[in-house]
Amino acid sequence: MHQPHTIAPRTPAYSTAGAILAVLAIASLLDIATAQALSQTDRAPSFAVRLFEVLDIYTSPVAFIAALAAAACWAAHAQRAFRAMFDATLVLSAVALLDNVVGLIMCLFDKQENPGFLLLSAALVYLENIAVFTAFYWRFDHPYQQRIVEGEGIHPGILFPQNTLDMESLRRWRPAFVDYLFLSFNTASTFGPTHPVPLRGVIQVGTMVQVAIAMAVLVMLAARAIGLIG
């Protein structure tokens, strides 16, 4: 895993890092809310569903605590510690997201006493999916964008349209928070990237995982709708 270059404090890139971390903290809170909603779906869940609920009980709060620790490192400009805590938060948030997706699907096979909470859980997982992968794309693309700005002749992790335009106003351009949020939202909504193109393998795999999660939520909603019709 390539470590990001140093980001100077009080620069747009450093502010972007803080915004990305805030989104990751929000993802942890969404995950906690999802776990609560899923627990209301079925008062007597199966053993498998209960197992995923227990995993989520521990993973989500730890991810949020890690996000708070990373925020303290960011505020103190302790960049090496920030990177370590950010990576820990991202891993924990990804595990919690996948846990919720599996738990959400498995709840379909249980008797649902409050099915409305199942739909609420699906909406929360959708938002969590966007938040986690916003951070994921930043984490694995930003180091390359930073090195390109510094003059290295390498290709980025994600090719944004701005990377290809020969315009004076875009010289030394690098993606900001909204660019990664835009990419993550479009990937989760249209089941694939639109204008930005993933170039590196880890980002391509991440895109496939995000699309698979979005598809799983869609299939769950379709199954629930068919159940209501039936």
Side-chain angles (χ1 to χ4, degrees):
M1 183 182 295
H2 182 84
Q3 293 293 339
H5 280 198
T6 300
I7 308 173
R10 294 182 297 277
T11 63
Y14 202 76
S15 298
T16 296
I20 293 291
L21 177 61
V23 168
L24 207 49
I26 291 172
S28 300
L29 293 176
L30 288 171
D31 187 75
I32 294 172
T34 304
Q36 292 298 318
L38 283 175
S39 68
Q40 297 297 319
T41 300
D42 184 3
R43 298 290 186 178
S46 63
F47 174 77
V49 173
R50 176 63 66 185
L51 185 63
F52 283 100
E53 287 180 353
V54 170
L55 177 62
D56 212 34
I57 287 173
Y58 290 98
T59 307
S60 305
V62 173
F64 183 66
I65 292 171
L68 294 179
C73 295
W74 178 84
H77 308 305
Q79 298 192 34
R80 181 171 297 181
F82 169 75
R83 289 198 298 266
M85 293 309 304
F86 182 92
D87 288 348
T89 305
L90 181 58
V91 170
L92 289 167
S93 297
V95 170
L97 172 61
L98 293 174
D99 177 73
N100 275 337
V101 171
V102 176
L104 186 67
I105 295 173
M106 294 187 70
C107 277
L108 286 174
F109 301 96
D110 276 7
K111 181 181 178 181
Q112 299 159 20
E113 298 178 4
N114 299 296
F117 281 101
L118 190 66
L119 300 181
L120 174 61
S121 300
L124 291 172
V125 168
Y126 173 77
L127 295 174
E128 186 184 352
N129 189 24
I130 294 174
V132 170
F133 278 93
T134 297
F136 175 87
Y137 294 134
W138 175 85
R139 173 62 183 83
F140 289 99
D141 176 64
H142 167 76
Y144 299 107
Q145 299 282 356
Q146 180 75 14
R147 291 164 65 185
I148 290 171
V149 169
E150 293 172 0
E152 286 194 42
I154 59 173
H155 64 277
I158 302 170
L159 183 67
F160 289 88
Q162 292 91 332
N163 293 127
T164 65
L165 299 177
D166 185 18
M167 300 175 62
E168 185 64 31
S169 60
L170 293 176
R171 293 192 185 279
R172 299 181 62 81
W173 178 90
R174 58 186 164 195
F177 166 75
V178 69
D179 298 294
Y180 293 109
L181 178 63
F182 175 79
L183 170 61
S184 184
F185 177 82
N186 281 344
T187 302
S189 303
T190 62
F191 309 121
T194 50
H195 293 299
V197 179
L199 298 182
R200 294 187 180 268
V202 64
I203 297 177
Q204 292 170 344
V205 171
T207 300
M208 288 188 289
V209 172
Q210 185 181 19
V211 170
I213 291 172
M215 289 291 291
V217 173
L218 177 64
V219 169
M220 192 284 301
L221 291 173
R224 180 59 193 156
I226 292 172
L228 289 174
I229 293 173

